Amino acid sequence: MRVGVALGSNLGDRLAKLRAARKAIVDLAGIEPPILFSSIYETEPVDCESNASKFFNAVLEFDYAGDPQSLLRNLKAIESSLGRSEDHARNISRSIDIDLLYAADMKIDDERLHLPHPRMNSRRFVLTPLAEIRPDLILPNQTKTVGQLLANLNDPAGVVRREDQW
């Protein structure tokens, strides 16, 4: 199944954290090509503490030969290995954030996993990199493409710059 994953970091060496997360994800069992990588975008923080630094954000898409719950466990283990504690407060600056955005056309809403990601359609920092690699993708529960969702977005937090170097 095709899976989308968002990466973000606004503490420490943001680029190094995204690179390390990308490598760890690609090296997971069950990850299969084609693997698509967006550019890295520097973005304003959204819903963070008032003095939060800018984020680096990117999106990956790949085939996954497993279930979304096991992938989520693996993604959380990668976050932990890169210095993020499991009890990290929500909407606070972080060295790494890895979110499972979608898994094919699955709709899951349980205690640990919500697919598609419930806030991705309103977040420029997710839609911009996703639209770069999959502008014509129609997500579960949507009728518009990712590109159309991005074009119609009213999110005031803009993308500061694009960084092509992974």
Side-chain angles (χ1 to χ4, degrees):
M1 83 182 107
R2 288 305 283 176
V3 173
V5 173
L7 305 176
S9 174
N10 77 327
L11 292 177
D13 187 339
R14 301 171 297 169
L15 185 57
K17 290 292 184 182
L18 263 56
R19 285 176 173 162
R22 180 183 76 161
K23 180 178 180 348
I25 291 168
V26 170
D27 288 347
L28 287 172
I31 303 297
E32 301 172 355
I35 302 171
L36 304 177
F37 304 102
S38 75
S39 300
I40 295 171
Y41 293 83
E42 187 174 47
T43 63
E44 296 291 341
V46 175
D47 296 335
C48 283
E49 70 274 20
S50 62
N51 60 346
S53 299
K54 293 176 183 167
F55 276 81
F56 272 2
N57 293 101
V59 170
L60 288 70
E61 189 191 67
F62 47 83
D63 280 326
Y64 183 65
D67 63 85
Q69 291 82 358
S70 64
L71 179 57
L72 180 65
R73 283 190 298 277
N74 287 325
L75 296 176
K76 294 304 173 193
I78 292 169
E79 282 184 338
S80 179
S81 74
L82 294 174
R84 181 172 174 169
S85 65
E86 276 196 43
D87 62 349
H88 186 86
R90 188 175 179 174
N91 296 331
I92 299 294
S93 291
R94 47 212 172 265
S95 61
I96 191 68
D97 189 29
I98 305 174
D99 288 326
L100 183 53
L101 300 175
Y102 56 88
D105 60 354
M106 291 185 165
K107 297 176 187 175
I108 300 173
D109 193 18
D110 66 29
E111 181 179 308
R112 298 238 332 130
L113 182 59
H114 305 281
L115 291 178
H117 191 286
R119 293 174 302 283
M120 68 182 283
N121 297 332
S122 63
R123 300 280 172 90
R124 187 172 305 279
F125 63 84
V126 174
L127 289 178
T128 298
L130 183 56
E132 178 188 338
I133 61 173
R134 290 295 308 273
D136 296 326
L137 175 66
I138 298 176
L139 297 160
N141 299 328
Q142 294 296 317
T143 57
K144 296 180 179 179
T145 67
V146 167
Q148 291 169 328
L149 291 170
L150 179 59
N152 295 331
L153 196 60
N154 291 325
D155 176 9
V159 171
V160 178
R161 70 182 170 103
R162 179 175 150 173
E163 177 72 43
D164 291 318
Q165 299 175 20
W166 268 101

